[in-house]
Amino acid sequence: MTSHAPNEARVIPLRTQPPPPASHGVNGAPQRPAEAPRTPSPAPREPLWRDLVGDVLRRERLAQERTLKDVAEAARISMPYLSELERGRKEASSEVLAAAARALGLGLADLLARTQDQLARHTRSRVARGRTSSTARYDGLCLAA
């Protein structure tokens, strides 16, 4: 039989690594261990379209001082789903995006144009920081409905 209680996890400690032996320099003074080579920091993650759309929806809703419940009811979508859209957790269909935009007094083209503007700003800021990438080609993206 085991010695632990039935509803408790059994924890097995990991072995710790002993510290490396101190090396001494020419004059007998301890030397610092050599630092590991630095790896370049990864490039910032390119934003996803759903994140950008969600940011635009949330900013517009907050600018109008409206609640999630109010906008979700006007758009005839569930409040949790609208919240997921605003947080970039869900990919919405064009019908849902159009309904959310209409509930905020926007057209679908307005929502997409604001999202494209946000993507272009992001691209320009990356280029200005010296991080050119394939995203620069999106700077001239034109969304028309």
Side-chain angles (χ1 to χ4, degrees):
M1 290 195 63
T2 61
S3 62
H4 65 279
N7 290 333
E8 291 181 20
R10 188 170 158 202
V11 178
I12 301 171
L14 299 174
R15 287 185 221 148
T16 59
Q17 295 291 328
S23 61
H24 297 283
V26 185
N27 61 0
Q31 284 184 325
R32 289 175 139 172
E35 289 186 19
R38 292 187 179 212
T39 58
S41 61
R45 184 176 69 88
E46 187 174 352
L48 298 175
W49 185 254
R50 68 176 184 238
D51 292 329
L52 298 171
V53 170
D55 288 344
V56 170
L57 288 171
R58 175 170 281 162
R59 254 198 330 272
E60 185 61 33
R61 180 178 61 79
L62 294 175
Q64 294 179 15
E65 298 179 351
R66 294 175 65 187
T67 63
L68 269 171
K69 182 179 180 187
D70 175 43
V71 175
E73 286 175 355
R76 301 188 67 188
I77 58 178
S78 75
M79 190 173 66
Y81 188 67
L82 179 59
S83 175
E84 294 279 297
L85 291 178
E86 286 188 356
R87 290 184 288 144
R89 302 268 177 107
K90 298 285 183 185
E91 286 280 355
S93 67
S94 58
E95 292 87 358
V96 170
L97 289 178
R102 273 193 311 274
L104 293 167
L106 302 171
L108 180 59
D110 299 322
L111 175 64
L112 298 180
R114 290 179 185 194
T115 304
Q116 188 274 330
D117 289 343
Q118 194 172 9
L119 178 61
R121 273 194 303 277
H122 174 78
T123 300
R124 283 192 298 271
S125 70
R126 283 183 64 166
V127 171
R129 288 191 312 258
R131 287 190 161 88
T132 58
S133 70
S134 61
T135 59
R137 68 173 180 254
Y138 293 115
D139 201 20
L141 181 67
C142 180
L143 296 174

